[in-house]
């Protein structure tokens, strides 16, 4: 059972940047798709970004041009670079991995964007 652990969240001012990391107990290439979701207070969990087969990326319209999902140098990591952060980006960010018959979720990391 592959475990996913997020890190890198914190408090940042609007316009600032954060880099989230997701570490798997095994290789992220065990998953066909890696992704990031977020859940703001009182709102449904929503898709932020995905990476399929290690290179095909997709982004929510709300983060397009500001966020980047990427593979780390290590085989067991994926990152979410978040630039030009806005207060509406605030929420708990979750890493997920998907392969046939299996989906795994991390515990989440808090991102707060506030003046």
């Amino acid at each position: 059972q592959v475990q996913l652990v997020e890190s890198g969240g914190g408090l940042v001012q609007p316009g600032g940047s954060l880099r989230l990391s997701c570490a798997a107990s095994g290789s992220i290439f065990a998953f066909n798709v890696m992704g990031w979701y977020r859940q703001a207070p009182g709102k449904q969990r929503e898709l932020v970004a995905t990476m399929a087969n290690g290179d095909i990326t997709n982004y929510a319209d709300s983060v397009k041009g500001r966020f980047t999902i990427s593979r780390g140098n290590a085989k067991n990591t994926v990152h979410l670079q978040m630039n030009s952060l806005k207060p509406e980006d605030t929420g708990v960010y979750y890493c997920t991995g998907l392969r046939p018959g299996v989906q795994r979720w991390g515990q989440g990391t808090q991102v707060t964007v506030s003046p």
Side-chain angles (χ1 to χ4, degrees):
Q1 297 187 173
V2 177
Q3 301 279 81
L4 299 174
V5 179
E6 305 94 336
S7 63
L11 175 64
V12 65
Q13 293 183 341
S17 298
L18 284 173
R19 185 175 177 84
L20 306 184
S21 297
C22 176
S25 59
S27 173
I28 62 169
F29 298 110
F31 299 105
N32 299 103
V33 180
M34 296 294 298
W36 289 93
Y37 284 71
R38 69 187 180 190
Q39 188 166 21
K43 296 187 65 178
Q44 187 83 0
R45 188 175 299 186
E46 64 176 347
L47 177 67
V48 175
T50 60
M51 176 182 292
N53 299 312
D55 60 356
I56 306 300
T57 59
N58 286 281
Y59 299 91
D61 288 341
S62 59
V63 308
K64 197 171 297 181
R66 299 188 297 119
F67 290 12
T68 304
I69 187 171
S70 63
R71 288 169 281 130
N73 291 330
K75 293 182 179 179
N76 67 333
T77 57
V78 64
H79 303 288
L80 184 69
Q81 179 67 45
M82 306 186 295
N83 298 326
S84 302
L85 283 161
K86 304 174 181 179
E88 52 262 45
D89 294 318
T90 293
V92 178
Y93 283 68
Y94 298 90
C95 178
T96 189
L98 177 68
R99 66 174 185 264
V102 176
Q103 184 169 16
R104 296 282 182 255
W105 293 89
Q107 292 289 331
T109 185
Q110 177 70 43
V111 172
T112 302
V113 185
S114 175

